[in-house]
Amino acid sequence: MENVTLPKTFDEFVDARKAGFLKAKEFKENGGKIAGTLCSYTPSELLDAAGIASVGLCGMSNEVVPDAEKVLPKNLCPLIKSTYGFAMTEKCPYTYFADIIIGETTCDGKKKMYELLNEIKETHILHLPQGQDHPYAKGMWLSELEFLKKKLEEKFGVEITDEKLRQAAHNRNRLRKATLDMFELQMTCPPAMKGTELMHVRQMGTFTFDLEEQIRNLEAKVAQAKAAYEAGECPVPKTAKRILLTGCPSAGVIQKVGGAIEENGGVIVCFDDCGGERTCRLTIDENADNILEAIADRYLAINCSVMTPNTERLENTKKMIEKYKVDGVVEVVLQACHTFNVEAELMKRAVEEEVGIPYMKLETDYSTTDSGQIETRIAAFIEML
């Protein structure tokens, strides 16, 4: 049995964090393997087929940013600093107990941080093509997945067969369907759930080792919300303005941005970030002749701002505005996220000029220093709708 020890500072942690460490420790002691993932581009099916639990590691808190800034530049994306800070301080149970971390080259800041992260925990980096329309892009990305497959097989002493990959694709498609069912609860007027509740449910799902448990939890949540709504219970007033939230990953600003929207007369009805509907709608052809190629095709189709051009993201947002009867769009840009910040101008034009509804960009980080200013801007935006 693997010798699994807790960090030296374990006794200083709050109860919720202790519980996370103990859960991960028990999982490892029972023979479980953990891969920390950092992006929607990481092919979960390969990890599932290898019998490895995948857990999201993206930092979502300002707590450890001061520690990270002892090593990393202060004018760096808060997600990058938070992710590294949790690793260097041993405060994240999933980073601490991870057997491997899978990174990706979605931005220059992250890919250079991974070199430092690799000194703490073995980090394998997936190299993304910078566009989807070049003739070599598909072949390059497929070769990256083949390289990862070989790495996992050699490191963990497993064989990733086509049969295992097809079963993994089937299960992940079920998870995507369950997540979409939850998102689409918001199509009703008024919506069946608060957007901040959706954000919390989505975030907690990334910390579950058991995929079947995650699917069951989502299905139960959807059934519960539907039953309550049909019984006349609605957590959102009919007068609430319907907001689409887009841009950078929003888990680190649930209260600062999401809470401010829903405390000032709005409700988040849909998410168009990398963990939102846009990504969940991308499924895998489980019966494809080459299942690994089908998996590669699915992930390459994710429309992140790292891609040039990235017009499909804008087209998808316009479709979601119509589908969810959106009154206004709020884009969250984490400080120093240059790709989303530049692309925000294109999003603004698509929303205001092509669709004809109001748009607002919020550039922020994980601290509370600008909370008052953010709330004032959001309140004024919603009042204008």
Side-chain angles (χ1 to χ4, degrees), residues 283-294:
T283 56
I284 293 167
D285 180 2
E286 305 161 22
N287 301 310
D289 291 338
N290 186 330
I291 185 61
L292 188 61
E293 184 176 5

Side-chain angles (χ1 to χ4, degrees), residues 4-38:
V4 183
T5 59
L6 293 164
K8 295 177 182 178
T9 55
F10 175 77
D11 289 336
E12 301 172 14
F13 297 158
V14 297
D15 289 344
R17 184 166 293 163
K18 284 183 178 179
F21 269 96
L22 293 173
K23 178 182 176 183
K25 181 175 182 289
E26 181 184 11
F27 181 76
K28 291 292 296 290
E29 287 174 337
N30 289 327
K33 299 296 182 184
I34 299 174
T37 63
L38 293 157

Side-chain angles (χ1 to χ4, degrees), residues 162-279:
D162 283 0
E163 182 181 355
K164 290 178 181 177
L165 285 172
R166 291 184 196 281
Q167 184 59 50
H170 175 74
N171 291 336
R172 286 287 165 178
N173 282 344
R174 288 171 53 219
L175 176 63
R176 292 173 188 122
K177 171 65 166 57
T179 307
L180 276 177
D181 287 345
M182 182 177 69
F183 287 155
E184 290 180 350
L185 289 171
Q186 301 303 83
M187 290 173 63
T188 56
C189 296
M193 293 175 66
K194 287 187 174 182
T196 46
E197 185 179 2
L198 278 180
M199 294 169 85
H200 283 296
V201 171
R202 186 175 58 163
Q203 178 185 347
M204 293 309 298
T206 64
F207 304 132
T208 304
F209 299 133
D210 188 332
L211 183 61
E212 288 296 327
E213 179 186 347
Q214 191 176 347
I215 294 170
R216 287 195 302 271
N217 288 344
L218 280 171
E219 291 174 341
K221 184 67 178 176
V222 171
Q224 179 187 19
K226 281 184 176 178
Y229 194 79
E230 290 168 2
E233 298 176 25
C234 184
V236 180
K238 292 181 180 180
T239 56
K241 297 299 181 181
R242 303 171 66 85
I243 303 297
L244 180 150
L245 198 65
T246 189
C248 293
S250 56
V253 293
I254 292 177
Q255 188 53 41
K256 182 160 68 170
V257 176
I261 288 171
E262 300 196 326
E263 289 164 11
N264 287 279
V267 59
I268 301 168
V269 292
C270 52
F271 303 90
D272 198 23
D273 59 12
C274 57
E277 181 176 318
R278 166 166 45 96
T279 305

Side-chain angles (χ1 to χ4, degrees), residues 63-361:
E63 175 189 351
V64 293
V65 167
D67 295 292
E69 287 178 345
K70 296 174 184 176
V71 178
L72 300 175
K74 286 183 168 58
N75 62 339
L76 191 63
C77 165
L79 186 150
I80 299 172
K81 291 189 289 187
S82 184
T83 300
Y84 184 74
F86 273 113
M88 68 180 289
T89 60
E90 298 186 338
K91 288 183 176 180
C92 172
Y94 311 107
T95 307
Y96 181 81
F97 283 117
D99 296 283
I100 191 170
I101 294 174
I102 313 295
E104 78 310 314
T105 56
T106 45
C107 83
D108 291 341
K110 286 176 82 175
K111 77 181 185 186
K112 298 307 290 185
M113 181 271 284
Y114 294 148
E115 295 178 21
L116 299 174
L117 186 61
N118 187 60
E119 298 172 353
I120 301 171
K121 187 74 63 170
E122 182 180 1
T123 303
H124 178 90
I125 302 175
L126 290 164
H127 289 259
L128 275 163
Q130 297 298 288
Q132 300 158 323
D133 60 343
H134 284 54
Y136 62 81
K138 283 193 174 186
M140 173 186 169
W141 183 234
L142 176 59
S143 70
E144 283 295 309
L145 267 57
E146 290 170 342
F147 183 36
L148 174 61
K149 176 176 177 285
K150 183 179 179 182
K151 170 72 177 182
L152 295 174
E153 288 178 326
E154 292 178 351
K155 178 175 175 61
F156 294 98
V158 297
E159 182 184 3
I160 301 175
T161 64
D162 283 0
E163 182 181 355
K164 290 178 181 177
L165 285 172
R166 291 184 196 281
Q167 184 59 50
H170 175 74
N171 291 336
R172 286 287 165 178
N173 282 344
R174 288 171 53 219
L175 176 63
R176 292 173 188 122
K177 171 65 166 57
T179 307
L180 276 177
D181 287 345
M182 182 177 69
F183 287 155
E184 290 180 350
L185 289 171
Q186 301 303 83
M187 290 173 63
T188 56
C189 296
M193 293 175 66
K194 287 187 174 182
T196 46
E197 185 179 2
L198 278 180
M199 294 169 85
H200 283 296
V201 171
R202 186 175 58 163
Q203 178 185 347
M204 293 309 298
T206 64
F207 304 132
T208 304
F209 299 133
D210 188 332
L211 183 61
E212 288 296 327
E213 179 186 347
Q214 191 176 347
I215 294 170
R216 287 195 302 271
N217 288 344
L218 280 171
E219 291 174 341
K221 184 67 178 176
V222 171
Q224 179 187 19
K226 281 184 176 178
Y229 194 79
E230 290 168 2
E233 298 176 25
C234 184
V236 180
K238 292 181 180 180
T239 56
K241 297 299 181 181
R242 303 171 66 85
I243 303 297
L244 180 150
L245 198 65
T246 189
C248 293
S250 56
V253 293
I254 292 177
Q255 188 53 41
K256 182 160 68 170
V257 176
I261 288 171
E262 300 196 326
E263 289 164 11
N264 287 279
V267 59
I268 301 168
V269 292
C270 52
F271 303 90
D272 198 23
D273 59 12
C274 57
E277 181 176 318
R278 166 166 45 96
T279 305
C280 287
R281 270 208 312 271
L282 297 172
T283 56
I284 293 167
D285 180 2
E286 305 161 22
N287 301 310
D289 291 338
N290 186 330
I291 185 61
L292 188 61
E293 184 176 5
I295 291 170
D297 288 347
R298 183 265 171 194
Y299 283 89
L300 186 60
I302 293 173
N303 297 308
C304 176
S305 64
V306 69
M307 295 295 177
T308 299
N310 193 33
T311 53
E312 284 301 311
R313 176 187 169 222
L314 309 179
E315 293 304 314
N316 182 76
T317 299
K318 290 189 288 185
K319 291 174 184 175
M320 289 181 69
I321 288 170
E322 181 179 359
K323 178 179 177 180
Y324 286 88
K325 303 177 180 66
V326 169
D327 296 309
V329 172
V330 174
E331 178 148 25
V332 174
V333 175
L334 295 176
Q335 286 176 0
C337 184
H338 304 310
T339 57
F340 271 107
N341 211 350
V342 174
E343 192 167 279
E345 174 60 25
L346 299 175
M347 179 63 75
K348 181 177 187 289
R349 294 177 195 171
V351 172
E352 292 186 342
E353 298 174 14
E354 297 178 37
V355 182
I357 67 170
Y359 163 95
M360 178 174 66
K361 180 179 79 173

